[in-house]
Amino acid sequence: EDEEGLGEGMDEGPEKRLREQEEHREFPDEVALPADQAARQRFSRYRALQSFRSSPWHPRENLPASYGRVYQLQNLPALQKRILEQGRRVEQAQLMQARGRGKDR
């Protein structure tokens, strides 16, 4: 009986890890909290934005780098207009170049 009991205990480790990995795949954002710690205290350094677009925040505060890049797009319509115009000019230049090559043949 003792040998069987030891065998079961040894198998529980890999099974437990597999269950934990599966659970992590299903719920990757979940965080286990100790029973003696309040979630408000544990997550006090995080803050929510009411609106990503209109909430004030400093681009250099402790946030992911991608947030700072989004912040730099202050005038999206002007940027979009400029990029589309540049694309049109490049396309026209390529078209003119292709037409020029066609005449040489």
Side-chain angles (χ1 to χ4, degrees), residues 2-14:
D2 290 338
E3 290 178 21
E4 289 177 19
L6 289 174
E8 288 176 18
M10 293 177 80
D11 289 337
E12 188 176 317

Side-chain angles (χ1 to χ4, degrees), residues 31-75:
V31 176
L33 292 175
D36 63 336
Q37 187 178 25
R40 183 178 297 271
Q41 180 185 19
R42 167 67 171 85
F43 298 110
S44 64
R45 67 183 180 145
Y46 301 100
R47 68 180 179 100
L49 297 175
Q50 291 294 325
S51 167
F52 186 81
R53 182 183 58 81
S54 63
S55 293
W57 51 278
H58 193 277
R60 306 233 189 278
E61 79 178 86
N62 190 16
L63 293 171
S66 59
Y67 283 35
R69 288 192 296 271
V70 170
Y71 179 79
Q72 292 172 355
L73 300 177
Q74 293 180 8
N75 191 351

